[in-house]
Amino acid sequence: MTSIKIKLMVSGKGMEGSLVYQVIHNRIVRQIDSGYKVWISEWDELAEMVVLEKADSARRRLLLAVARRIKTDREQLFQIVASLDRQGIYTTDDVLVRFRAWEYAGSFERFMEEVIVHLKELGKVRTSETYTMAYRNFMCFRKGVDIRLDEIDSDLMELYESHLKGRGLSLNTVSFYMRILRATYNRAVAKGLARQCYPFRYVYTGVEKTLKRALPLKFIKCIKQLDLSLHPSLDFARDMFLFSFYTRGMSFVDIAYLKKNDLQNGVLTYRRRKTGQLLFIKWERCMQEIVDKYTLPYSDYLLPIIKEKADERKQYQNALHAVNHNLKKVSLQACLPIRLTMYVARHSWASVAKSKHIPIAVISEGMGHSSENTTQIYLASLDNAVIDHANRLILKDL
């Protein structure tokens, strides 16, 4: 006969106690730490249950999570014991080994870490970074306490959504975190580590159209005409912004990784790191002026963002942070109505193109599609000469 009990172990006065599972078989006792801590006043020893009555709302949420976890763990321990009873002779150590294996396989924390490592191995570094960001945010909400994959339900996700909104995050940011967690959860379901119970059905996972982050051409001219010769860091940030605008809103990561041999016979050829799409841009004089200003003779890169071969991604990230920080200062000097970032250059090109009556198919509604995939489909179906003509019309007015 095997018995399973839940005990609160308190090591000192005025300290929280640790909840442990005691497995007793043939008078041999083994303990499993649940990983949860509660106060003596929050534990009913006779009923082996968490006490919720006196807890405030924040503490109650945590205690409810503890209650759900120990209920799930106890049920699993009983299932393990029942299975071992059917097999015959076993020890308490056998119970612990099976429970640890079940606990490891179903851990959200461990599974998420495995997904992130897998993404890195596939070369999807940027995606792994966004997953890491979402993972840390969720674990912050959980106060560092792990959860089993099969414990993730709609109630928990609604609480998490409320937590995110309470921090003042936009709907798109909330959706960003939710969609990553949903993708991770669906991976776990596909691997048989959780049963699909659609925990994200009541939370926002869409994409809300954001406030326009684009500048009219008159402000682009104003930025270009600023005399920043006494401020090299601001000058460089401004020039990177303009280079992005000149090259149809090229993203900073793509600018950073441009090589000198990407420019051949008056055409700049590059593959978008985000989507893998191959793009061709007719080289214009304004682009060459910026390259001439910053080129490093002994570097393979077109612009001095990545200067060493070691840790290229870290160099790009640090440069992006510095450029966006300095663009904020440029915004103030130019008295702009919005704060400059590298993304504003991308959006501005599309918006100006629209104002020039460039066909919607060329600019795909000035990046206004809810899905970027739609934008890519529209652009991919056009001849590059059409897009180059649109770009020349825009640059002509500068």
Side-chain angles (χ1 to χ4, degrees), residues 248 268-272 275-280 379-380 384:
R248 309 197 311 244
L268 181 65
T269 304
Y270 76 100
R271 191 176 294 278
R272 283 202 67 197
T275 64
Q277 184 181 3
L278 188 63
L279 298 176
F280 305 90
L379 292 176
N384 280 291

Side-chain angles (χ1 to χ4, degrees), residues 104-115:
Y104 182 89
S107 161
F108 165 81
E109 190 172 11
R110 292 190 181 97
F111 185 73
M112 190 73 170
E113 289 171 351
E114 288 172 5
V115 169

Side-chain angles (χ1 to χ4, degrees), residues 186-198:
N186 287 340
R187 281 175 181 255
V189 171
K191 288 180 176 289
L193 299 176
R195 182 174 57 85
Q196 182 59 270
C197 63
Y198 305 101

Side-chain angles (χ1 to χ4, degrees), residues 68 141 152-161 199 202-203:
R68 284 196 296 266
F141 159 73
I152 296 176
D153 57 20
S154 57
D155 289 340
L156 178 65
M157 288 301 102
E158 285 186 278
L159 281 173
Y160 181 45
E161 182 183 55
Y202 301 125
V203 297

Side-chain angles (χ1 to χ4, degrees), residues 19 34 55 80 93 204 239 290 301 365 381 388:
L19 287 171
S34 72
I80 290 169
D93 287 334
Y204 185 70
D239 288 343
I290 290 179
Y301 291 99
E365 197 60 44
S381 65
D388 287 330

